[in-house]
Amino acid sequence: MQQQDQQFKTVKVKSNFHQFQLLPNRQIHRYKIELTIYSDINAQKAITTYRQKLTESLNTFYCINLNIYSPTKIATQVLGGLNDVDEIQNVATLKFVESVEGGIKLQQILARIVKQIMSTQQGMVQIGRDKLFWPKKSHSFHDHKFEIWEGVQIVQKQFGVVIDCAYKILRQNTLLDDLSITKEVDRYDGMIVMTKYNQKFYRVDLIETGMSPKDIFITENGEQTTFKEYYKQRYNLKLNEKQPLIKTTLKIKGKQEEKVIYLVPELCQLTGLSDNVKSNFSVMREVAKITKPNAYDRIDQSEKFAKQINSTVKKGSNTNLLDTWGLKLNSVSMNVEAKTVRPGSLIMGNENIDLSSSNLNLDQQTQKKMYQVPEQKLVWVLIHYYKEKGQEAKKLLLENMKQAISEYQFYGFYSQPIIRQLQEERDKALLQLCDDLYKESEQKQQKIEFIIFLLPGQKKNSRLYRCAKFISLQKIGCPSQVVLEDTLTKNTRSIVNKIMVQICAKLGGVPWAIDKLPKLFQQQHTMICAAECYDRLHQTKHLAFCSTVDKNMTKYHSQIQKGADYKGDNLKKSLIKAMEVYKEKNTVFPQIIIIYRDGVSDGQIPVVLGDEFPQYDQAIKQINPQSKLVLVICNKRVAGKFYQAGHRPDNPASGTIVDSKEICEGQQPNFYLISQMTRQGTSQPTLYKILHSDIPNIENDIKVLTYKLCWLYYNFAGPIKIPAPVRYAHCLCEFIGSRYQRTDKDPFIPVEELVKKGVLFYI
């Protein structure tokens, strides 16, 4: 069902996509090896045996899947015989097949050329498959013991390459330095380290405290030696014997196998920023100046490196690599046609907010009225710390909440909360206090519906946060809000207003909705779903599944499965439950089911289609075969960037969609969407692909819907980078998964009563 053109406005954008072009009168040619007795093994043997002869005849060539490609055209040539034991002489011949002008064969050649270009960049360190860094262009923060390397990311596409800025943060202390301070071996699981002696990067699986540099291992040559002796002999490095080893797993190239290797903490630099630096506003502002360049600087870097690629010479010669192949990379990045979705309006209480207004200030405008607030009076509790600071914070919170409740007309609470003081900043004290409170409420037959914990501590680091949430999830079974005392010291009224927005969503209200959703999804019962898996090393897996239950796509049923991932029938169970809950709320099953799946790269698409899609298909066939399924994947980690075209490039408007066939590859309909409003640095687009649709011609409706959903996340006033259901699924699995501990007597999982309330208890 195509949307009307009024939903879109056509615009031009500049990109960081650069096209390769074959020079006039130049071609790339494909050859095959012919044999008297052909087999792939013998063909590969012939290429290896006659490599020197091939180089002399063709000057340069690539062998890809037993095809030989070269910019040089020659006639059929007999290479010679293979040393076979058979009586018949197996003669190898190089035969011209065709000239390559485009398609998958040219893409393979370009991929090989890009790989060769990356390996020839002098003074640069390659990290991963597609990033190069200049260690000499580092920005040092000596006082905070870290540095930032500048670099580029080069991603090969069917038409050429995407070139973007890249940055790597390296701490100047080693893992051993850090370990000697923290004494916490578990905190390094999953971190990335760089080996100082050869500048390679590895993920930490485990700190092996039972091992040391005195341990013996077998080298690649099959010799036995200790780690201490190996590093002394190979790198002339003397190691401290009193340190553990780092266990890391490497994938063996071209195989499904993995191998375990051990690294020495003393020789490994940590990457990324420490928690102390992240909490330092002034340092983070300086970091942002480097790592978040504006559009003009990004384009400048992209075009400068494109020129550098054009001047790349082959290793061991002065020959220009691209000239040899008759290619040129356009140093000026591509301009492409795009379109913007008209955002419409946010629907508040008695007034709407025009999102296309030039005077838009959502932080203020969303703090006046809410779309739908809880109607019934609910019993709520305020728990605060007994010290003077806690008393002051309590007074500030209650005064400002009273004003906010009046302005929002949020009368879902009884006017006065049940107030309790916490005497000790300990989990045991908080558990005992809430246990007594719960017993008291049962005696009075007065059910607690919401708790505000006003606690001491720093942002994201409150000592009692996990315990408070555990109490509300498991012990009492109600939503809760943790407020830190320090957050109320500045801009108190504005902060309390934002807290009230969260409280509304946690109690089943709707802070705001959005208008002009695609008619197709308004005329038919439509359920939007998103799945996310928490999968961290040495931690319990959790599968989160969030699904809408209302016409405005603002209310959710949220499920969490302990020990589950995307495999088996976990997604099938989740979708069946979501469909049943939708019917409970609406008396009918959803006619259209749209499922968003985040974090899927091109390489993972076969897994999604092979393991996940069949589960959804089976669920629908089992519950309601008439339901139509649409499966959309999103990928936030894309190198592509887009800018408003003009004399001084800038970030494109929120709602910009790029779906030009020039740059959107693949069989599935796909598009880039820039949904967020970026005021610093450069907007990061998200790439969406419609993997499956039971409804034909749905692409434009999905584009509009996807953008509209980005406005409906109630932890932020404005559009976010991904649709709200995707973000909620991520929040739920992180909220539970990161705090779940196997040792808990009662697991960190919401009780069924809380799940049934259908509220966003985890935001």
Side-chain angles (χ1 to χ4, degrees), residues 451-464:
I451 308 174
I452 295 180
F453 295 93
L454 183 55
L455 302 174
Q458 295 179 329
K459 187 178 180 183
K460 297 183 179 179
N461 196 27
S462 172
R463 185 175 172 183
L464 295 173

mmCIF file with all atom_site columns, all heavy atoms in Angstrom, residues 451-464:
data_model
loop_
_atom_site.group_PDB
_atom_site.id
_atom_site.type_symbol
_atom_site.label_atom_id
_atom_site.label_alt_id
_atom_site.label_comp_id
_atom_site.label_asym_id
_atom_site.label_entity_id
_atom_site.label_seq_id
_atom_site.pdbx_PDB_ins_code
_atom_site.Cartn_x
_atom_site.Cartn_y
_atom_site.Cartn_z
_atom_site.occupancy
_atom_site.B_iso_or_equiv
_atom_site.pdbx_formal_charge
_atom_site.auth_seq_id
_atom_site.auth_comp_id
_atom_site.auth_asym_id
_atom_site.auth_atom_id
_atom_site.pdbx_PDB_model_num
ATOM 1   N N   . ILE A 1 451 ? 6.790  2.931  43.868 1.00 0.00 ? 451 ILE A N   1
ATOM 2   C CA  . ILE A 1 451 ? 7.764  3.351  44.888 1.00 0.00 ? 451 ILE A CA  1
ATOM 3   C C   . ILE A 1 451 ? 8.767  4.308  44.257 1.00 0.00 ? 451 ILE A C   1
ATOM 4   O O   . ILE A 1 451 ? 9.289  4.042  43.162 1.00 0.00 ? 451 ILE A O   1
ATOM 5   C CB  . ILE A 1 451 ? 8.549  2.151  45.470 1.00 0.00 ? 451 ILE A CB  1
ATOM 6   C CG1 . ILE A 1 451 ? 7.608  1.052  45.965 1.00 0.00 ? 451 ILE A CG1 1
ATOM 7   C CG2 . ILE A 1 451 ? 9.466  2.618  46.600 1.00 0.00 ? 451 ILE A CG2 1
ATOM 8   C CD1 . ILE A 1 451 ? 8.346  -0.212 46.413 1.00 0.00 ? 451 ILE A CD1 1
ATOM 9   N N   . ILE A 1 452 ? 9.022  5.407  44.950 1.00 0.00 ? 452 ILE A N   1
ATOM 10  C CA  . ILE A 1 452 ? 10.142 6.281  44.582 1.00 0.00 ? 452 ILE A CA  1
ATOM 11  C C   . ILE A 1 452 ? 11.236 6.091  45.619 1.00 0.00 ? 452 ILE A C   1
ATOM 12  O O   . ILE A 1 452 ? 11.002 6.272  46.818 1.00 0.00 ? 452 ILE A O   1
ATOM 13  C CB  . ILE A 1 452 ? 9.725  7.758  44.512 1.00 0.00 ? 452 ILE A CB  1
ATOM 14  C CG1 . ILE A 1 452 ? 8.707  7.983  43.387 1.00 0.00 ? 452 ILE A CG1 1
ATOM 15  C CG2 . ILE A 1 452 ? 10.954 8.653  44.283 1.00 0.00 ? 452 ILE A CG2 1
ATOM 16  C CD1 . ILE A 1 452 ? 8.227  9.414  43.248 1.00 0.00 ? 452 ILE A CD1 1
ATOM 17  N N   . PHE A 1 453 ? 12.396 5.679  45.162 1.00 0.00 ? 453 PHE A N   1
ATOM 18  C CA  . PHE A 1 453 ? 13.567 5.546  46.033 1.00 0.00 ? 453 PHE A CA  1
ATOM 19  C C   . PHE A 1 453 ? 14.438 6.783  45.832 1.00 0.00 ? 453 PHE A C   1
ATOM 20  O O   . PHE A 1 453 ? 14.968 7.006  44.729 1.00 0.00 ? 453 PHE A O   1
ATOM 21  C CB  . PHE A 1 453 ? 14.384 4.304  45.668 1.00 0.00 ? 453 PHE A CB  1
ATOM 22  C CG  . PHE A 1 453 ? 13.672 2.999  45.890 1.00 0.00 ? 453 PHE A CG  1
ATOM 23  C CD1 . PHE A 1 453 ? 12.963 2.395  44.858 1.00 0.00 ? 453 PHE A CD1 1
ATOM 24  C CD2 . PHE A 1 453 ? 13.721 2.359  47.118 1.00 0.00 ? 453 PHE A CD2 1
ATOM 25  C CE1 . PHE A 1 453 ? 12.317 1.182  45.043 1.00 0.00 ? 453 PHE A CE1 1
ATOM 26  C CE2 . PHE A 1 453 ? 13.078 1.148  47.320 1.00 0.00 ? 453 PHE A CE2 1
ATOM 27  C CZ  . PHE A 1 453 ? 12.366 0.555  46.286 1.00 0.00 ? 453 PHE A CZ  1
ATOM 28  N N   . LEU A 1 454 ? 14.565 7.608  46.845 1.00 0.00 ? 454 LEU A N   1
ATOM 29  C CA  . LEU A 1 454 ? 15.413 8.803  46.791 1.00 0.00 ? 454 LEU A CA  1
ATOM 30  C C   . LEU A 1 454 ? 16.720 8.452  47.498 1.00 0.00 ? 454 LEU A C   1
ATOM 31  O O   . LEU A 1 454 ? 16.769 8.387  48.735 1.00 0.00 ? 454 LEU A O   1
ATOM 32  C CB  . LEU A 1 454 ? 14.697 9.976  47.461 1.00 0.00 ? 454 LEU A CB  1
ATOM 33  C CG  . LEU A 1 454 ? 15.391 11.341 47.439 1.00 0.00 ? 454 LEU A CG  1
ATOM 34  C CD1 . LEU A 1 454 ? 15.752 11.770 46.019 1.00 0.00 ? 454 LEU A CD1 1
ATOM 35  C CD2 . LEU A 1 454 ? 14.503 12.392 48.088 1.00 0.00 ? 454 LEU A CD2 1
ATOM 36  N N   . LEU A 1 455 ? 17.764 8.213  46.709 1.00 0.00 ? 455 LEU A N   1
ATOM 37  C CA  . LEU A 1 455 ? 18.966 7.581  47.253 1.00 0.00 ? 455 LEU A CA  1
ATOM 38  C C   . LEU A 1 455 ? 20.220 8.434  47.080 1.00 0.00 ? 455 LEU A C   1
ATOM 39  O O   . LEU A 1 455 ? 20.300 9.248  46.157 1.00 0.00 ? 455 LEU A O   1
ATOM 40  C CB  . LEU A 1 455 ? 19.206 6.229  46.558 1.00 0.00 ? 455 LEU A CB  1
ATOM 41  C CG  . LEU A 1 455 ? 18.074 5.199  46.650 1.00 0.00 ? 455 LEU A CG  1
ATOM 42  C CD1 . LEU A 1 455 ? 18.395 3.991  45.793 1.00 0.00 ? 455 LEU A CD1 1
ATOM 43  C CD2 . LEU A 1 455 ? 17.845 4.786  48.097 1.00 0.00 ? 455 LEU A CD2 1
ATOM 44  N N   . PRO A 1 456 ? 21.216 8.224  47.933 1.00 0.00 ? 456 PRO A N   1
ATOM 45  C CA  . PRO A 1 456 ? 22.516 8.862  47.731 1.00 0.00 ? 456 PRO A CA  1
ATOM 46  C C   . PRO A 1 456 ? 23.282 8.120  46.626 1.00 0.00 ? 456 PRO A C   1
ATOM 47  O O   . PRO A 1 456 ? 22.929 7.007  46.252 1.00 0.00 ? 456 PRO A O   1
ATOM 48  C CB  . PRO A 1 456 ? 23.218 8.708  49.083 1.00 0.00 ? 456 PRO A CB  1
ATOM 49  C CG  . PRO A 1 456 ? 22.582 7.508  49.705 1.00 0.00 ? 456 PRO A CG  1
ATOM 50  C CD  . PRO A 1 456 ? 21.173 7.442  49.186 1.00 0.00 ? 456 PRO A CD  1
ATOM 51  N N   . GLY A 1 457 ? 24.348 8.758  46.120 1.00 0.00 ? 457 GLY A N   1
ATOM 52  C CA  . GLY A 1 457 ? 25.184 8.096  45.112 1.00 0.00 ? 457 GLY A CA  1
ATOM 53  C C   . GLY A 1 457 ? 25.281 8.890  43.834 1.00 0.00 ? 457 GLY A C   1
ATOM 54  O O   . GLY A 1 457 ? 24.529 9.842  43.598 1.00 0.00 ? 457 GLY A O   1
ATOM 55  N N   . GLN A 1 458 ? 26.241 8.478  42.990 1.00 0.00 ? 458 GLN A N   1
ATOM 56  C CA  . GLN A 1 458 ? 26.467 9.148  41.711 1.00 0.00 ? 458 GLN A CA  1
ATOM 57  C C   . GLN A 1 458 ? 25.609 8.532  40.624 1.00 0.00 ? 458 GLN A C   1
ATOM 58  O O   . GLN A 1 458 ? 25.140 7.402  40.741 1.00 0.00 ? 458 GLN A O   1
ATOM 59  C CB  . GLN A 1 458 ? 27.942 9.038  41.318 1.00 0.00 ? 458 GLN A CB  1
ATOM 60  C CG  . GLN A 1 458 ? 28.890 9.772  42.262 1.00 0.00 ? 458 GLN A CG  1
ATOM 61  C CD  . GLN A 1 458 ? 30.332 9.604  41.831 1.00 0.00 ? 458 GLN A CD  1
ATOM 62  O OE1 . GLN A 1 458 ? 30.705 8.598  41.260 1.00 0.00 ? 458 GLN A OE1 1
ATOM 63  N NE2 . GLN A 1 458 ? 31.146 10.606 42.106 1.00 0.00 ? 458 GLN A NE2 1
ATOM 64  N N   . LYS A 1 459 ? 25.448 9.265  39.521 1.00 0.00 ? 459 LYS A N   1
ATOM 65  C CA  . LYS A 1 459 ? 24.673 8.782  38.390 1.00 0.00 ? 459 LYS A CA  1
ATOM 66  C C   . LYS A 1 459 ? 25.231 7.452  37.891 1.00 0.00 ? 459 LYS A C   1
ATOM 67  O O   . LYS A 1 459 ? 26.426 7.308  37.701 1.00 0.00 ? 459 LYS A O   1
ATOM 68  C CB  . LYS A 1 459 ? 24.714 9.820  37.257 1.00 0.00 ? 459 LYS A CB  1
ATOM 69  C CG  . LYS A 1 459 ? 23.802 9.498  36.094 1.00 0.00 ? 459 LYS A CG  1
ATOM 70  C CD  . LYS A 1 459 ? 23.877 10.589 35.044 1.00 0.00 ? 459 LYS A CD  1
ATOM 71  C CE  . LYS A 1 459 ? 22.960 10.270 33.871 1.00 0.00 ? 459 LYS A CE  1
ATOM 72  N NZ  . LYS A 1 459 ? 23.057 11.278 32.804 1.00 0.00 ? 459 LYS A NZ  1
ATOM 73  N N   . LYS A 1 460 ? 24.355 6.470  37.681 1.00 0.00 ? 460 LYS A N   1
ATOM 74  C CA  . LYS A 1 460 ? 24.702 5.127  37.218 1.00 0.00 ? 460 LYS A CA  1
ATOM 75  C C   . LYS A 1 460 ? 25.603 4.371  38.197 1.00 0.00 ? 460 LYS A C   1
ATOM 76  O O   . LYS A 1 460 ? 26.158 3.336  37.860 1.00 0.00 ? 460 LYS A O   1
ATOM 77  C CB  . LYS A 1 460 ? 25.368 5.167  35.832 1.00 0.00 ? 460 LYS A CB  1
ATOM 78  C CG  . LYS A 1 460 ? 24.467 5.701  34.731 1.00 0.00 ? 460 LYS A CG  1
ATOM 79  C CD  . LYS A 1 460 ? 25.160 5.643  33.395 1.00 0.00 ? 460 LYS A CD  1
ATOM 80  C CE  . LYS A 1 460 ? 24.241 6.164  32.290 1.00 0.00 ? 460 LYS A CE  1
ATOM 81  N NZ  . LYS A 1 460 ? 24.887 6.147  30.978 1.00 0.00 ? 460 LYS A NZ  1
ATOM 82  N N   . ASN A 1 461 ? 25.745 4.908  39.396 1.00 0.00 ? 461 ASN A N   1
ATOM 83  C CA  . ASN A 1 461 ? 26.646 4.260  40.343 1.00 0.00 ? 461 ASN A CA  1
ATOM 84  C C   . ASN A 1 461 ? 26.109 4.336  41.772 1.00 0.00 ? 461 ASN A C   1
ATOM 85  O O   . ASN A 1 461 ? 26.872 4.460  42.718 1.00 0.00 ? 461 ASN A O   1
ATOM 86  C CB  . ASN A 1 461 ? 28.043 4.895  40.245 1.00 0.00 ? 461 ASN A CB  1
ATOM 87  C CG  . ASN A 1 461 ? 29.102 4.032  40.893 1.00 0.00 ? 461 ASN A CG  1
ATOM 88  O OD1 . ASN A 1 461 ? 28.958 2.818  40.977 1.00 0.00 ? 461 ASN A OD1 1
ATOM 89  N ND2 . ASN A 1 461 ? 30.159 4.651  41.374 1.00 0.00 ? 461 ASN A ND2 1
ATOM 90  N N   . SER A 1 462 ? 24.802 4.296  41.899 1.00 0.00 ? 462 SER A N   1
ATOM 91  C CA  . SER A 1 462 ? 24.223 4.311  43.239 1.00 0.00 ? 462 SER A CA  1
ATOM 92  C C   . SER A 1 462 ? 24.361 2.926  43.859 1.00 0.00 ? 462 SER A C   1
ATOM 93  O O   . SER A 1 462 ? 24.019 1.918  43.245 1.00 0.00 ? 462 SER A O   1
ATOM 94  C CB  . SER A 1 462 ? 22.743 4.698  43.185 1.00 0.00 ? 462 SER A CB  1
ATOM 95  O OG  . SER A 1 462 ? 22.155 4.539  44.448 1.00 0.00 ? 462 SER A OG  1
ATOM 96  N N   . ARG A 1 463 ? 24.857 2.901  45.062 1.00 0.00 ? 463 ARG A N   1
ATOM 97  C CA  . ARG A 1 463 ? 25.134 1.640  45.742 1.00 0.00 ? 463 ARG A CA  1
ATOM 98  C C   . ARG A 1 463 ? 23.880 0.784  45.912 1.00 0.00 ? 463 ARG A C   1
ATOM 99  O O   . ARG A 1 463 ? 23.931 -0.445 45.893 1.00 0.00 ? 463 ARG A O   1
ATOM 100 C CB  . ARG A 1 463 ? 25.756 1.958  47.100 1.00 0.00 ? 463 ARG A CB  1
ATOM 101 C CG  . ARG A 1 463 ? 26.208 0.763  47.899 1.00 0.00 ? 463 ARG A CG  1
ATOM 102 C CD  . ARG A 1 463 ? 26.903 1.234  49.163 1.00 0.00 ? 463 ARG A CD  1
ATOM 103 N NE  . ARG A 1 463 ? 27.191 0.124  50.049 1.00 0.00 ? 463 ARG A NE  1
ATOM 104 C CZ  . ARG A 1 463 ? 27.732 0.268  51.238 1.00 0.00 ? 463 ARG A CZ  1
ATOM 105 N NH1 . ARG A 1 463 ? 28.044 1.469  51.679 1.00 0.00 ? 463 ARG A NH1 1
ATOM 106 N NH2 . ARG A 1 463 ? 27.966 -0.775 52.004 1.00 0.00 ? 463 ARG A NH2 1
ATOM 107 N N   . LEU A 1 464 ? 22.737 1.437  46.083 1.00 0.00 ? 464 LEU A N   1
ATOM 108 C CA  . LEU A 1 464 ? 21.507 0.710  46.397 1.00 0.00 ? 464 LEU A CA  1
ATOM 109 C C   . LEU A 1 464 ? 20.582 0.531  45.200 1.00 0.00 ? 464 LEU A C   1
ATOM 110 O O   . LEU A 1 464 ? 19.464 0.025  45.342 1.00 0.00 ? 464 LEU A O   1
ATOM 111 C CB  . LEU A 1 464 ? 20.759 1.445  47.514 1.00 0.00 ? 464 LEU A CB  1
ATOM 112 C CG  . LEU A 1 464 ? 21.461 1.502  48.876 1.00 0.00 ? 464 LEU A CG  1
ATOM 113 C CD1 . LEU A 1 464 ? 20.700 2.399  49.829 1.00 0.00 ? 464 LEU A CD1 1
ATOM 114 C CD2 . LEU A 1 464 ? 21.619 0.105  49.458 1.00 0.00 ? 464 LEU A CD2 1
#
